[in-house]
Amino acid sequence: MSQQQPVEVVTNKKRRWLVMAIVTVVAAGVISYFASPHPDGLERVAENHGFIDQAKTPSWTAWIPDYEVPGIKSPILKVGLAGVIGVAALFGVLYALTRPLARRREADNHGKGDHHPS
Amino acid sequence: MHIPDGFLDVKSCITTGVLGVGTVAYSLRRTKVSLARPEVPKIALIGAFIFAAQMLNFPIAGATSGHFLGGAMASILFGPAVAVVIMSAVLIIQALIFQDGGLTVLGANIVCTGVIGSYVGYGVYRAGIVLLRGRATKVVSFAAAWCSIVAASCGVALLLAWSGTFPLGVALKTMAGWHSLIGIGEGLITAMVVAYLMERNVAFENLPSSSKKGASAT
């Protein structure tokens, strides 16, 4: 049941993907500083019902705990830099992971590369 | 709703760990069958976008915040298998580098926000598209995203209850309650991004049936 005839497909307009890229970097690099510091839904439930203290934070792998790059004074910079590092890490990891999985052809019917004699 | 270490007991960590590894492996195989190369940078960019958007906690009632998750959005754009791969990558990097979400509960987070979020979102979206015959896609995306968040929060509630952290009834009620509010933000962002990045399938509408997608050659 692979979607035989999707009503809508992901756009190929480069401009829209460029806008997404800019939104992504600005969101992670700048707007992230203005995010709400309040506990999220699960933390709220855990606080209200007295099991928030069960949470443990293992720190041995976390280079950038709580989205703040250690050793930077400016609060907006340390959050923004953490965001940009995360964005770059995700782009890189997903690109490296999915690229070998993808088939080589560009599109099905455009037939530029295939050489049928007749 | 990243679960931290310490909320779940050993049996739920192991069970969800096995489930998580299994679904990620399955999703990678499905992705390998269906993925075309031009999609690769788009998938990578959506993963980066989801990471960025997850940083932006927005306030909801009572000194509480919520943030976008993105499973529904990713599955509407690329299908549920790719969405699980994207969400798992986001969760793994958040846990490893940013200390957001525990390592022992990584499987649980992948199962709830990745697998449940993506598949519920995708199911509701497809059902809505069929029922409304392709009309009101923004409403359908909103509903899909809202349902995905509430379903994921119910998954977390079930795990909390199974671990003995919290009684099941209260867990379901409070988790679903808060996340039905957070789901509004999820729905709005999803509807906007989907509307911006998706378009009518012109190839399908205009081409005669003779040039159907020929996927015979592997």
Side-chain angles (χ1 to χ4, degrees), chain A residues 26-94:
Chain A
V26 172
V30 183
I31 309 172
S32 55
Y33 174 70
F34 302 97
S36 164
H38 290 309
D40 74 4
L42 174 59
E43 290 162 342
R44 164 59 54 211
V45 169
E47 272 181 22
N48 289 0
H49 295 270
F51 60 92
I52 191 76
D53 294 334
Q54 287 186 33
K56 298 185 202 102
T57 46
S59 55
W60 47 275
T61 62
W63 307 311
I64 310 175
D66 294 324
Y67 301 92
E68 292 182 348
V69 178
I72 294 182
K73 291 236 172 66
S74 153
I76 188 163
L77 264 186
K78 67 181 178 189
V79 175
L81 188 60
V84 172
I85 290 172
V87 161
L90 266 151
F91 190 90
V93 163
L94 279 169

Side-chain angles (χ1 to χ4, degrees), chain B residues 33-161:
Chain B
V33 175
S34 65
L35 190 66
R37 191 166 275 185
E39 292 198 276
V40 168
K42 299 174 185 171
I43 289 169
L45 179 55
I46 287 299
F49 172 83
I50 289 174
F51 174 87
Q54 288 201 0
M55 288 181 78
L56 309 182
N57 285 59
F58 47 83
I60 56 173
T64 304
S65 74
H67 65 73
F68 182 68
L69 285 176
M73 185 191 81
S75 67
I76 292 170
L77 293 174
F78 302 113
V82 174
V84 168
V85 172
I86 293 176
M87 295 302 288
S88 305
V90 172
L91 288 162
I92 289 169
I93 287 182
Q94 285 172 331
L96 280 181
I97 303 182
F98 298 96
Q99 216 178 74
D100 191 12
L103 289 177
T104 60
V105 291
L106 194 48
N109 280 322
I110 287 176
V111 167
C112 291
T113 56
V115 179
I116 297 178
S118 300
Y119 276 89
V120 168
Y122 189 71
V124 172
Y125 177 77
R126 296 299 301 173
I129 291 291
V130 170
L131 285 175
L132 299 174
R133 301 202 187 106
R135 280 174 280 135
T137 49
K138 278 185 192 148
V139 179
V140 173
S141 312
F142 180 94
W146 187 88
C147 291
S148 80
I149 293 307
V150 175
S153 77
C154 290
V156 174
L158 284 175
L159 289 175
L160 288 173

